Amino acid sequence: MKRLNNIDLLKFICAVLVVFLHMGTPYQQYILPLTRCAVPCFLIISGYFIFNADDAKFQARLKKNIRKIFRVLVWSTLLFAVVKFMFAFKQHDFSFLSLKALVKFVVLNENPFGFHLWYIGAYLYTLLIVLFLERRGWLKCLYWAAPILLMTDLCFGKYSLVLWNMEIPFICVRNFLCVGIPYFAVGMFIKKWRGTLLGIRYLPLLTFGGGEILFSLTSLLENGLLVELGLNATRDHYASSTFLAVSLFLFFLSARQVGQNVLSDLGEKDSLYIYILHPLFIMFFRTVNNRMPALWQDTYLYLSPIIILIATILLSKTLRILHIIK
């Protein structure tokens, strides 16, 4: 399949959103609801590009990506385990080494060494489950299950305080089951019905104006209402997040394709590594910032996402030059 530079550009945008999501800037609360569509977009993109109507080709792609993501999960977990143990020895805190933490890792993808690595584990589980269903001819079940799983995420996640007057641990829904599988299925569905969807008149305009703008506003509205009512649960996924993610993907898919450029190259080659590696710089600057001049601290407070992003891109490029990553 010919590379879609628009989608590579979207991957880079999603990586940038993840960095902004993890940075405690003074303006974070104003953009936080908008950043929540990044991980769903990544999964939709994966479902779209891996799916193939030919069963043999589809299974081959699934197996190839399973091997790739398994390797990524292993080395990223080992990398952050080393960092975690360094801090543990310094602080004499090894509470993360427990049977409970292991169960959370295996069952709910909650990686004890890196808070963000849940996504890699969830993605791996999703690929394995999709392969299992595909081999048995049960793939259609995913299309029926996806909306149910997304509703489960909302009911027991962001809206748990509204519905049950109690906050359920977010890792119960932020995992392969309620995030990985449904969004991957959405990507497969779009690929399957690509011709029909792209045949919709004015689709780029509809997905931009009626999708991205509308659901960005409703995401902010949801957040504002939940905060005002004191019912804003920790789970980081709004009802509008799904529609915003789908609108973003359909817009970039249907809009006129841009030529290959620096940002699309970053999306193609570095988006995954930006996601995985950026917390290293968050920890580094968090450690050294107190020793830096006041001017730097004030600058970092507002520009930290850009600083972290640039540092991570440079690290990713360096590792590629050294052939440590592909």
Side-chain angles (χ1 to χ4, degrees):
M1 179 186 292
K2 181 182 177 182
R3 285 214 72 85
L4 300 178
N5 294 321
N6 281 13
I7 302 302
D8 287 333
L9 179 58
L10 176 58
K11 287 164 65 177
F12 176 69
I13 292 172
C14 289
V16 173
L17 289 176
V18 168
V19 175
F20 273 87
L21 170 64
H22 292 154
M23 300 306 303
T25 59
Y27 49 83
Q28 186 191 43
Q29 61 178 321
Y30 303 109
I31 63 170
L32 199 60
L34 306 181
T35 62
R36 302 304 189 185
C37 67
V39 167
C41 267
F42 275 132
L43 289 163
I44 291 171
I45 291 169
S46 297
Y48 180 87
F49 281 103
I50 293 175
F51 179 77
N52 194 294
D54 184 297
D55 290 345
K57 290 182 179 179
F58 186 29
Q59 290 186 29
R61 289 181 182 178
L62 286 168
K63 291 175 183 177
K64 178 181 177 181
N65 279 274
I66 287 170
R67 291 191 293 269
K68 174 186 174 182
I69 297 303
F70 176 74
R71 290 193 295 268
V72 170
L73 179 61
V74 170
W75 71 252
S76 61
T77 298
L78 290 175
L79 172 63
F80 281 89
V82 170
V83 176
K84 190 83 170 182
F85 274 105
M86 288 172 58
F87 281 98
F89 280 111
K90 182 179 179 180
Q91 300 167 359
H92 304 289
D93 180 12
F94 295 89
S95 57
F96 59 92
L97 296 176
S98 66
L99 180 59
K100 184 178 181 180
L102 178 62
V103 172
K104 287 181 180 179
F105 178 43
V106 174
V107 178
L108 299 173
N109 310 125
E110 182 71 0
N111 197 303
F113 304 113
F115 67 92
H116 64 306
L117 295 180
W118 72 270
Y119 165 72
I120 308 299
Y123 184 27
L124 177 62
Y125 281 23
T126 298
L127 293 172
L128 289 167
I129 290 169
V130 172
L131 178 60
F132 174 82
L133 294 175
E134 163 64 17
R135 283 177 166 176
R136 281 154 182 76
W138 298 344
L139 202 59
K140 289 183 179 179
C141 297
L142 284 184
Y143 301 127
W144 295 100
I148 297 173
L149 294 173
L150 290 172
M151 285 300 298
T152 301
D153 184 1
L154 285 176
C155 292
F156 294 96
K158 179 54 74 176
Y159 284 88
S160 58
L161 285 171
V162 176
L163 296 173
W164 322 112
N165 198 33
M166 62 179 291
E167 184 166 359
I168 297 166
F170 65 86
I171 63 172
C172 294
V173 290
R174 193 203 62 179
N175 51 53
F176 72 97
L177 187 61
C178 294
V179 179
I181 290 175
Y183 284 111
F184 193 88
V186 169
M188 292 194 305
F189 180 85
I190 293 174
K191 180 66 169 293
K192 186 174 182 179
W193 295 97
R194 180 179 183 275
T196 302
L197 290 170
L198 294 184
I200 297 175
R201 196 174 184 184
Y202 305 124
L203 182 62
L205 181 62
L206 290 172
T207 52
F208 181 75
E212 294 173 38
I213 295 176
L214 174 62
F215 294 122
S216 293
L217 293 173
T218 55
S219 294
L220 295 170
L221 179 61
E222 277 186 77
N223 177 70
L225 286 174
L226 291 171
V227 170
E228 183 68 24
L229 295 171
L231 298 172
N232 191 31
T234 306
R235 171 66 180 124
D236 51 2
H237 189 79
Y238 300 86
S240 301
S241 300
T242 298
F243 299 104
L244 179 56
V246 173
S247 297
L248 270 171
F249 180 75
L250 286 176
F251 172 75
F252 278 87
L253 181 66
S254 60
R256 184 177 178 180
Q257 290 295 311
V258 299
Q260 187 176 0
N261 55 69
V262 173
L263 298 184
S264 67
D265 283 344
L266 287 172
E268 176 191 353
K269 299 173 183 177
D270 297 289
S271 57
L272 175 63
Y273 301 111
I274 292 172
Y275 181 93
I276 292 173
L277 299 173
H278 77 275
L280 294 176
F281 290 102
I282 294 177
M283 290 183 282
F284 171 76
F285 284 111
R286 189 180 295 159
T287 302
V288 303
N289 263 358
N290 291 335
R291 306 169 192 172
M292 302 297 283
L295 178 60
W296 164 262
Q297 294 185 32
D298 292 339
T299 303
Y300 183 79
L301 183 63
Y302 287 91
L303 298 182
S304 55
I306 305 300
I307 295 170
I308 296 296
L309 178 65
I310 293 173
T312 309
I313 290 173
L314 291 175
L315 175 60
S316 178
K317 294 294 185 185
T318 301
L319 293 176
R320 182 168 292 106
I321 291 172
L322 297 174
H323 302 290
I324 295 174
I325 60 175
K326 294 182 179 180

